[in-house]
Amino acid sequence: MRMTRSLYAASAFFLLLTFSCAAQSAQKPDAATATWWAQTVALSNDSMEGRDTGSEAYERAAKYVADQFKAAGLKPAGDNGTYFQRVPMHQTDLDLTHTSVEIVTQSAPGSEAGSPPHTVPLKLLEEITLTPHQLVKTSADTKMVFLGYGLELPQSSSADVKEFQGATAVFFNNIPADLSPADRATFARRRAESIIKAGFRSIVSIDNPAAIEPTHWPAAYARSVVLQPAAPPNLRAPLQLRISAEAAAKLFAADTDHPFADILRDGEKGLPLPSFAMHSGLKIEAQNAEKDISSPNILAVLPGSDPKLAPEYVALSAHLDGYGYGTPVLGDKLYNGTLDDAAYVALLIELAKDLQHKAPARSLLFCIFTGEEKGLLGSAWFTQHPTVAKESIVANLNLDQLRPIFPLNILTMEGLSDSTLGETVRAVAAPFKIEIRPDLEPERNLFRRADNYNFVRIGVPVAAFVFGYDKGSPEEAIYRDWYARRYHKPQDDIKTPIDWEAAGRFNRFYTALTLAIANAPTRPQWLPASPYSPHERAAQ
């Protein structure tokens, strides 16, 4: 029987993953890796309920971590002589029982003139999601305007920008292929400025299924969390909605002269797209539920052994929060967050125990942050309200975005060319036979999507890592599959396949790197060419 090329590729991919999972399950972790995994299970089994920011389950997890640090002999570095730094936040949830989004066409396709409007409801969190707005209750009934990639305003018959005020801007979430690198770097900012200036009331961003990191459906929930005291609401900010590519076809059903199949085909490639006033509108009824919440960072110190260097700190960080309970996926509604990021809180616990009686020259500052999944909130609070002098923090080694699910031969380092940490990392990695590479997918913006970035903002050199792979390799296939099926989903749980040798190797590498930096006679320095160096910051 002949197979189509796509069916053959899918079958080969399935066999690859099956073989990989079988190989991983045949491995047995060494004693240290088994202990690390036991901590991971303790932090991310179902009884921890996904450790959502502001939840009672998060508080239990935080106490567990603090107790582990205390047992390891670490000193409290939080508020008032405790291990905790309480982070005040404000949470806004979309009230799904009083929220709806409908496509409205003045008449159904093929109907007689004067027929009543035709409405098509969109499934919240499964087809479309809405970022909770500053207003407690919102009602909007608007026409839709397709803007291509978001900058291409249609030619106005009246040349009057007021034509777009109160309308809904719809755009395909990609960057035009013909833009220069400089224009690509500023594209998202220019798009937002253009939409706000034109006076659009709401924005619908259409997912790009061909993106290097496709967005995930369903959304766990529609929630926004901000630090307190919150900034005054920007009442000019449009409502922000995101729609899946599959559901987006419904937006264009009445626009027979602009088939969505053509827009999708060209949009995935970054080819030119049209801009036009659409034949349908969008009706939005939204209501929010708001409350003040708080969760603690957990902060602890292993004092350094060298009197001259002990006043300096190497900050070791990971985030404890996950998503908690959310929209079910394959019947499971608990987002355990095992690899993101319980496993690397567990690594810091085990590192503290291992170094309990052999402290390095500099002090180690253990930072377990809350609210990372809500916008790097815990690390933002800590770097704005440090419990040690920020000038005394010489480096941050952040643990996030790590997936030990295939052999470890390559590590991508975020911040590789920004400071002397890059040279140190390469030297430490060499005996482990780990190749260190720069980020080859900068469009994913991983450097700014993790807690390390808040340390950069206060002038601290950082290192963060992603398991790397060669393009087109089996490792890439495993990595992409994990992101498609497990990332930010309930399937990131303790049943996820682990490459035990790779996991243990990374853990040993991270320990060696920590000691190399903490024992070095000089502190890491920014490289002059880095945009984050003091010289470049002063010039901006």
Side-chain angles (χ1 to χ4, degrees), residues 363-416:
S363 298
L364 300 181
L365 177 62
F366 290 77
C367 304
I368 308 301
F369 292 126
T370 189
E372 191 274 350
E373 301 291 7
K374 303 301 187 289
L376 316 183
L377 299 184
S379 58
W381 185 264
F382 171 77
T383 51
Q384 293 167 19
H385 305 86
T387 58
V388 301
K390 66 179 182 180
E391 296 80 8
S392 67
I393 304 175
V394 305
N396 168 237
L397 305 181
N398 190 49
L399 292 165
D400 196 5
Q401 308 178 80
L402 291 157
R403 316 288 179 242
I405 53 179
F406 51 78
L408 174 56
N409 299 309
I410 302 166
L411 276 177
T412 292
M413 176 179 162
E414 301 295 340
L416 177 60

Short mmCIF file of all heavy atoms in Angstrom, two decimals, residues 363-416:
data_model
loop_
_atom_site.label_atom_id
_atom_site.label_comp_id
_atom_site.label_asym_id
_atom_site.label_seq_id
_atom_site.Cartn_x
_atom_site.Cartn_y
_atom_site.Cartn_z
N SER A 363 28.90 34.17 48.68
CA SER A 363 27.62 33.68 49.18
C SER A 363 26.72 33.31 48.01
O SER A 363 26.81 33.89 46.92
CB SER A 363 26.94 34.75 50.04
OG SER A 363 27.73 35.06 51.17
N LEU A 364 25.85 32.35 48.24
CA LEU A 364 24.84 31.96 47.26
C LEU A 364 23.48 32.43 47.74
O LEU A 364 23.08 32.12 48.87
CB LEU A 364 24.84 30.44 47.06
CG LEU A 364 26.14 29.80 46.58
CD1 LEU A 364 25.96 28.29 46.42
CD2 LEU A 364 26.62 30.43 45.27
N LEU A 365 22.80 33.18 46.90
CA LEU A 365 21.47 33.69 47.21
C LEU A 365 20.45 32.85 46.43
O LEU A 365 20.40 32.92 45.20
CB LEU A 365 21.35 35.16 46.82
CG LEU A 365 19.99 35.83 47.00
CD1 LEU A 365 19.58 35.84 48.47
CD2 LEU A 365 20.02 37.25 46.44
N PHE A 366 19.69 32.05 47.14
CA PHE A 366 18.68 31.18 46.52
C PHE A 366 17.38 31.97 46.40
O PHE A 366 16.81 32.40 47.42
CB PHE A 366 18.49 29.92 47.35
CG PHE A 366 19.67 28.98 47.31
CD1 PHE A 366 20.81 29.24 48.06
CD2 PHE A 366 19.63 27.84 46.52
CE1 PHE A 366 21.89 28.37 48.01
CE2 PHE A 366 20.71 26.97 46.48
CZ PHE A 366 21.85 27.24 47.22
N CYS A 367 16.91 32.14 45.16
CA CYS A 367 15.71 32.94 44.88
C CYS A 367 14.66 32.06 44.22
O CYS A 367 14.83 31.65 43.06
CB CYS A 367 16.05 34.11 43.96
SG CYS A 367 17.36 35.20 44.52
N ILE A 368 13.60 31.77 44.93
CA ILE A 368 12.48 31.00 44.37
C ILE A 368 11.33 31.99 44.20
O ILE A 368 10.76 32.48 45.18
CB ILE A 368 12.08 29.84 45.30
CG1 ILE A 368 13.31 29.00 45.66
CG2 ILE A 368 11.00 29.00 44.63
CD1 ILE A 368 14.03 28.39 44.48
N PHE A 369 10.99 32.27 42.95
CA PHE A 369 10.08 33.37 42.66
C PHE A 369 8.65 32.90 42.45
O PHE A 369 8.39 31.79 41.97
CB PHE A 369 10.55 34.13 41.43
CG PHE A 369 11.83 34.90 41.63
CD1 PHE A 369 12.91 34.71 40.79
CD2 PHE A 369 11.95 35.79 42.69
CE1 PHE A 369 14.08 35.41 40.97
CE2 PHE A 369 13.14 36.50 42.89
CZ PHE A 369 14.20 36.31 42.02
N THR A 370 7.73 33.78 42.79
CA THR A 370 6.31 33.60 42.51
C THR A 370 5.94 34.42 41.27
O THR A 370 6.71 35.27 40.81
CB THR A 370 5.45 34.05 43.71
OG1 THR A 370 4.09 33.66 43.48
CG2 THR A 370 5.50 35.55 43.93
N GLY A 371 4.77 34.16 40.72
CA GLY A 371 4.19 35.00 39.67
C GLY A 371 4.96 35.07 38.38
O GLY A 371 4.71 35.97 37.58
N GLU A 372 5.85 34.12 38.11
CA GLU A 372 6.57 34.16 36.84
C GLU A 372 5.62 33.99 35.67
O GLU A 372 5.71 34.70 34.66
CB GLU A 372 7.65 33.07 36.83
CG GLU A 372 8.65 33.18 35.67
CD GLU A 372 8.20 32.50 34.38
OE1 GLU A 372 7.19 31.75 34.40
OE2 GLU A 372 8.86 32.72 33.35
N GLU A 373 4.71 33.04 35.79
CA GLU A 373 3.77 32.77 34.70
C GLU A 373 2.77 33.90 34.50
O GLU A 373 2.07 33.94 33.49
CB GLU A 373 3.02 31.45 34.96
CG GLU A 373 3.89 30.22 35.09
CD GLU A 373 4.56 29.79 33.80
OE1 GLU A 373 4.46 30.53 32.80
OE2 GLU A 373 5.18 28.72 33.79
N LYS A 374 2.71 34.82 35.43
CA LYS A 374 1.79 35.96 35.31
C LYS A 374 2.51 37.22 34.82
O LYS A 374 1.93 38.30 34.80
CB LYS A 374 1.11 36.24 36.65
CG LYS A 374 0.35 35.05 37.23
CD LYS A 374 -0.74 34.55 36.30
CE LYS A 374 -1.61 33.48 36.91
NZ LYS A 374 -0.95 32.18 37.09
N GLY A 375 3.79 37.08 34.45
CA GLY A 375 4.51 38.24 33.93
C GLY A 375 5.78 38.57 34.69
O GLY A 375 6.13 39.75 34.82
N LEU A 376 6.50 37.57 35.19
CA LEU A 376 7.78 37.76 35.91
C LEU A 376 7.59 38.65 37.13
O LEU A 376 8.46 39.47 37.48
CB LEU A 376 8.85 38.35 34.98
CG LEU A 376 8.98 37.77 33.57
CD1 LEU A 376 10.15 38.42 32.83
CD2 LEU A 376 9.12 36.27 33.59
N LEU A 377 6.48 38.49 37.83
CA LEU A 377 6.12 39.44 38.89
C LEU A 377 6.97 39.29 40.14
O LEU A 377 7.38 40.29 40.74
CB LEU A 377 4.64 39.30 39.24
CG LEU A 377 3.64 39.56 38.09
CD1 LEU A 377 2.22 39.47 38.60
CD2 LEU A 377 3.89 40.91 37.44
N GLY A 378 7.24 38.06 40.58
CA GLY A 378 8.02 37.88 41.80
C GLY A 378 9.43 38.40 41.65
O GLY A 378 9.96 39.06 42.56
N SER A 379 10.06 38.12 40.51
CA SER A 379 11.43 38.62 40.31
C SER A 379 11.43 40.13 40.13
O SER A 379 12.38 40.81 40.54
CB SER A 379 12.08 37.93 39.11
OG SER A 379 11.32 38.11 37.93
N ALA A 380 10.37 40.68 39.52
CA ALA A 380 10.29 42.14 39.40
C ALA A 380 10.20 42.77 40.79
O ALA A 380 10.87 43.78 41.07
CB ALA A 380 9.07 42.53 38.57
N TRP A 381 9.39 42.18 41.67
CA TRP A 381 9.26 42.72 43.02
C TRP A 381 10.59 42.63 43.76
O TRP A 381 11.01 43.59 44.42
CB TRP A 381 8.17 41.98 43.78
CG TRP A 381 7.90 42.56 45.15
CD1 TRP A 381 8.42 42.15 46.34
CD2 TRP A 381 7.07 43.68 45.44
NE1 TRP A 381 7.95 42.93 47.36
CE2 TRP A 381 7.12 43.89 46.84
CE3 TRP A 381 6.29 44.54 44.67
CZ2 TRP A 381 6.42 44.91 47.47
CZ3 TRP A 381 5.58 45.55 45.30
CH2 TRP A 381 5.65 45.73 46.69
N PHE A 382 11.27 41.48 43.64
CA PHE A 382 12.54 41.32 44.35
C PHE A 382 13.58 42.31 43.85
O PHE A 382 14.30 42.93 44.65
CB PHE A 382 13.07 39.90 44.19
CG PHE A 382 14.48 39.75 44.70
CD1 PHE A 382 14.72 39.66 46.07
CD2 PHE A 382 15.56 39.72 43.83
CE1 PHE A 382 16.01 39.56 46.57
CE2 PHE A 382 16.86 39.61 44.31
CZ PHE A 382 17.08 39.53 45.68
N THR A 383 13.69 42.49 42.54
CA THR A 383 14.72 43.39 42.02
C THR A 383 14.37 44.85 42.29
O THR A 383 15.27 45.70 42.34
CB THR A 383 14.94 43.16 40.52
OG1 THR A 383 13.69 43.21 39.83
CG2 THR A 383 15.62 41.82 40.27
N GLN A 384 13.09 45.14 42.51
CA GLN A 384 12.70 46.50 42.92
C GLN A 384 12.82 46.69 44.43
O GLN A 384 12.96 47.82 44.90
CB GLN A 384 11.25 46.78 42.48
CG GLN A 384 11.05 46.85 40.99
CD GLN A 384 9.58 46.81 40.60
OE1 GLN A 384 8.69 47.07 41.42
NE2 GLN A 384 9.30 46.47 39.34
N HIS A 385 12.74 45.57 45.18
CA HIS A 385 12.84 45.62 46.65
C HIS A 385 13.82 44.54 47.11
O HIS A 385 13.44 43.61 47.82
CB HIS A 385 11.46 45.37 47.28
CG HIS A 385 10.38 46.30 46.80
ND1 HIS A 385 9.65 46.03 45.66
CD2 HIS A 385 9.91 47.47 47.29
CE1 HIS A 385 8.76 47.01 45.48
NE2 HIS A 385 8.91 47.89 46.45
N PRO A 386 15.09 44.64 46.70
CA PRO A 386 16.04 43.58 47.04
C PRO A 386 16.28 43.49 48.54
O PRO A 386 16.30 44.51 49.24
CB PRO A 386 17.32 44.00 46.30
CG PRO A 386 17.18 45.49 46.12
CD PRO A 386 15.71 45.75 45.95
N THR A 387 16.46 42.29 49.03
CA THR A 387 16.71 42.08 50.46
C THR A 387 18.21 42.03 50.76
O THR A 387 18.59 41.88 51.92
CB THR A 387 16.05 40.78 50.95
OG1 THR A 387 16.54 39.68 50.17
CG2 THR A 387 14.53 40.87 50.79
N VAL A 388 19.04 42.12 49.71
CA VAL A 388 20.48 42.37 49.85
C VAL A 388 20.78 43.53 48.91
O VAL A 388 19.99 43.85 48.01
CB VAL A 388 21.32 41.14 49.48
CG1 VAL A 388 20.97 39.95 50.36
CG2 VAL A 388 21.16 40.77 48.01
N ALA A 389 21.91 44.19 49.12
CA ALA A 389 22.26 45.31 48.24
C ALA A 389 22.38 44.81 46.80
O ALA A 389 23.12 43.85 46.53
CB ALA A 389 23.57 45.93 48.70
N LYS A 390 21.67 45.43 45.88
CA LYS A 390 21.69 44.93 44.51
C LYS A 390 23.09 45.00 43.90
O LYS A 390 23.45 44.18 43.05
CB LYS A 390 20.69 45.69 43.64
CG LYS A 390 21.00 47.16 43.41
CD LYS A 390 19.94 47.80 42.51
CE LYS A 390 20.26 49.26 42.24
NZ LYS A 390 19.23 49.88 41.37
N GLU A 391 23.91 45.96 44.38
CA GLU A 391 25.28 46.07 43.87
C GLU A 391 26.13 44.87 44.27
O GLU A 391 27.18 44.62 43.66
CB GLU A 391 25.94 47.36 44.37
CG GLU A 391 25.28 48.65 43.88
CD GLU A 391 24.03 49.00 44.67
OE1 GLU A 391 23.76 48.32 45.70
OE2 GLU A 391 23.32 49.94 44.28
N SER A 392 25.69 44.14 45.29
CA SER A 392 26.47 42.99 45.76
C SER A 392 26.12 41.70 45.02
O SER A 392 26.76 40.67 45.22
CB SER A 392 26.24 42.78 47.26
OG SER A 392 24.90 42.38 47.52
N ILE A 393 25.12 41.72 44.13
CA ILE A 393 24.75 40.54 43.34
C ILE A 393 25.62 40.54 42.09
O ILE A 393 25.49 41.40 41.22
CB ILE A 393 23.26 40.56 42.97
CG1 ILE A 393 22.39 40.67 44.23
CG2 ILE A 393 22.90 39.29 42.20
CD1 ILE A 393 20.90 40.82 43.95
N VAL A 394 26.51 39.56 41.98
CA VAL A 394 27.49 39.57 40.90
C VAL A 394 27.00 38.85 39.65
O VAL A 394 27.50 39.10 38.55
CB VAL A 394 28.83 38.96 41.36
CG1 VAL A 394 29.34 39.67 42.60
CG2 VAL A 394 28.71 37.46 41.62
N ALA A 395 26.05 37.96 39.79
CA ALA A 395 25.53 37.21 38.65
C ALA A 395 24.22 36.55 39.02
O ALA A 395 23.93 36.33 40.20
CB ALA A 395 26.54 36.14 38.20
N ASN A 396 23.44 36.24 37.99
CA ASN A 396 22.22 35.45 38.16
C ASN A 396 22.27 34.26 37.22
O ASN A 396 22.47 34.42 36.01
CB ASN A 396 20.97 36.28 37.88
CG ASN A 396 19.70 35.43 37.77
OD1 ASN A 396 19.01 35.47 36.77
ND2 ASN A 396 19.40 34.67 38.80
N LEU A 397 22.09 33.06 37.76
CA LEU A 397 21.99 31.84 36.97
C LEU A 397 20.55 31.35 37.10
O LEU A 397 20.17 30.79 38.12
CB LEU A 397 22.96 30.78 37.48
CG LEU A 397 24.44 31.18 37.57
CD1 LEU A 397 25.28 30.01 38.06
CD2 LEU A 397 24.95 31.68 36.23
N ASN A 398 19.75 31.61 36.07
CA ASN A 398 18.33 31.30 36.15
C ASN A 398 18.02 29.93 35.57
O ASN A 398 18.59 29.53 34.55
CB ASN A 398 17.51 32.37 35.41
CG ASN A 398 16.03 32.24 35.67
OD1 ASN A 398 15.61 32.13 36.83
ND2 ASN A 398 15.23 32.26 34.63
N LEU A 399 17.11 29.23 36.22
CA LEU A 399 16.69 27.89 35.80
C LEU A 399 15.23 27.93 35.36
O LEU A 399 14.32 28.04 36.17
CB LEU A 399 16.86 26.90 36.96
CG LEU A 399 18.30 26.59 37.38
CD1 LEU A 399 18.32 25.91 38.75
CD2 LEU A 399 18.98 25.71 36.34
N ASP A 400 15.03 27.86 34.07
CA ASP A 400 13.69 27.84 33.49
C ASP A 400 13.87 27.42 32.03
O ASP A 400 14.99 27.44 31.52
CB ASP A 400 13.05 29.23 33.58
CG ASP A 400 11.55 29.23 33.36
OD1 ASP A 400 10.97 28.14 33.22
OD2 ASP A 400 10.96 30.32 33.33
N GLN A 401 12.79 27.01 31.38
CA GLN A 401 12.84 26.66 29.96
C GLN A 401 13.72 25.44 29.69
O GLN A 401 14.18 25.24 28.56
CB GLN A 401 13.31 27.86 29.13
CG GLN A 401 12.51 29.12 29.42
CD GLN A 401 12.96 30.35 28.67
OE1 GLN A 401 12.63 30.50 27.50
NE2 GLN A 401 13.71 31.21 29.32
N LEU A 402 13.97 24.62 30.71
CA LEU A 402 14.85 23.45 30.58
C LEU A 402 14.01 22.19 30.41
O LEU A 402 13.10 21.93 31.20
CB LEU A 402 15.76 23.33 31.80
CG LEU A 402 16.81 24.43 31.91
CD1 LEU A 402 17.29 24.59 33.33
CD2 LEU A 402 17.97 24.13 30.97
N ARG A 403 14.33 21.40 29.40
CA ARG A 403 13.55 20.20 29.09
C ARG A 403 14.52 19.02 28.90
O ARG A 403 14.99 18.77 27.77
CB ARG A 403 12.72 20.40 27.82
CG ARG A 403 12.01 21.75 27.74
CD ARG A 403 10.86 21.89 28.68
NE ARG A 403 10.25 23.22 28.55
CZ ARG A 403 10.19 24.12 29.51
NH1 ARG A 403 10.66 23.85 30.71
NH2 ARG A 403 9.64 25.31 29.30
N PRO A 404 14.84 18.26 29.94
CA PRO A 404 15.77 17.13 29.80
C PRO A 404 15.06 15.90 29.22
O PRO A 404 14.84 14.90 29.90
CB PRO A 404 16.23 16.90 31.24
CG PRO A 404 15.06 17.31 32.07
CD PRO A 404 14.41 18.45 31.34
N ILE A 405 14.71 15.99 27.95
CA ILE A 405 13.89 14.95 27.32
C ILE A 405 14.61 14.28 26.14
O ILE A 405 14.02 13.48 25.44
CB ILE A 405 12.53 15.54 26.86
CG1 ILE A 405 12.73 16.77 25.98
CG2 ILE A 405 11.67 15.87 28.06
CD1 ILE A 405 11.45 17.39 25.46
N PHE A 406 15.88 14.66 25.92
CA PHE A 406 16.72 14.01 24.91
C PHE A 406 18.17 14.21 25.31
O PHE A 406 18.47 15.00 26.22
CB PHE A 406 16.43 14.58 23.50
CG PHE A 406 16.49 16.07 23.41
CD1 PHE A 406 17.70 16.76 23.35
CD2 PHE A 406 15.32 16.82 23.35
CE1 PHE A 406 17.75 18.14 23.25
CE2 PHE A 406 15.35 18.20 23.25
CZ PHE A 406 16.58 18.87 23.21
N PRO A 407 19.11 13.51 24.68
CA PRO A 407 20.51 13.59 25.11
C PRO A 407 21.04 15.03 25.12
O PRO A 407 20.73 15.84 24.25
CB PRO A 407 21.24 12.74 24.06
CG PRO A 407 20.22 11.75 23.62
CD PRO A 407 18.92 12.49 23.62
N LEU A 408 21.86 15.31 26.14
CA LEU A 408 22.40 16.66 26.32
C LEU A 408 23.78 16.75 25.67
O LEU A 408 24.77 16.32 26.25
CB LEU A 408 22.48 17.01 27.81
CG LEU A 408 23.16 18.35 28.15
CD1 LEU A 408 22.49 19.51 27.41
CD2 LEU A 408 23.14 18.59 29.66
N ASN A 409 23.81 17.32 24.48
CA ASN A 409 25.07 17.59 23.79
C ASN A 409 25.26 19.07 23.52
O ASN A 409 26.38 19.53 23.30
CB ASN A 409 25.13 16.82 22.46
CG ASN A 409 25.06 15.32 22.67
OD1 ASN A 409 25.81 14.77 23.47
ND2 ASN A 409 24.14 14.66 21.97
N ILE A 410 24.14 19.81 23.51
CA ILE A 410 24.16 21.23 23.17
C ILE A 410 23.32 21.99 24.18
O ILE A 410 22.23 21.54 24.56
CB ILE A 410 23.55 21.47 21.76
CG1 ILE A 410 24.32 20.68 20.69
CG2 ILE A 410 23.54 22.95 21.42
CD1 ILE A 410 23.58 20.59 19.36
N LEU A 411 23.82 23.12 24.63
CA LEU A 411 23.04 24.05 25.44
C LEU A 411 23.04 25.41 24.76
O LEU A 411 24.09 25.94 24.40
CB LEU A 411 23.62 24.20 26.85
CG LEU A 411 23.24 23.18 27.91
CD1 LEU A 411 23.98 23.47 29.21
CD2 LEU A 411 21.72 23.15 28.16
N THR A 412 21.85 25.95 24.55
CA THR A 412 21.72 27.35 24.17
C THR A 412 21.86 28.19 25.44
O THR A 412 21.23 27.89 26.45
CB THR A 412 20.35 27.61 23.53
OG1 THR A 412 20.29 26.94 22.28
CG2 THR A 412 20.12 29.10 23.32
N MET A 413 22.70 29.22 25.37
CA MET A 413 22.84 30.12 26.52
C MET A 413 22.27 31.48 26.17
O MET A 413 22.72 32.13 25.23
CB MET A 413 24.30 30.27 26.94
CG MET A 413 24.48 31.28 28.07
SD MET A 413 26.19 31.47 28.59
CE MET A 413 26.08 33.06 29.47
N GLU A 414 21.29 31.92 26.92
CA GLU A 414 20.79 33.28 26.81
C GLU A 414 21.79 34.21 27.51
O GLU A 414 22.19 33.95 28.64
CB GLU A 414 19.41 33.40 27.44
CG GLU A 414 18.34 32.50 26.84
CD GLU A 414 18.01 32.84 25.41
OE1 GLU A 414 18.30 33.98 24.97
OE2 GLU A 414 17.47 31.96 24.70
N GLY A 415 22.19 35.27 26.83
CA GLY A 415 23.17 36.19 27.40
C GLY A 415 24.61 35.79 27.11
O GLY A 415 25.53 36.35 27.72
N LEU A 416 24.83 34.88 26.17
CA LEU A 416 26.16 34.34 25.90
C LEU A 416 27.17 35.43 25.55
O LEU A 416 28.31 35.41 26.01
CB LEU A 416 26.08 33.31 24.78
CG LEU A 416 27.39 32.68 24.31
CD1 LEU A 416 28.08 31.95 25.46
CD2 LEU A 416 27.14 31.71 23.15
#
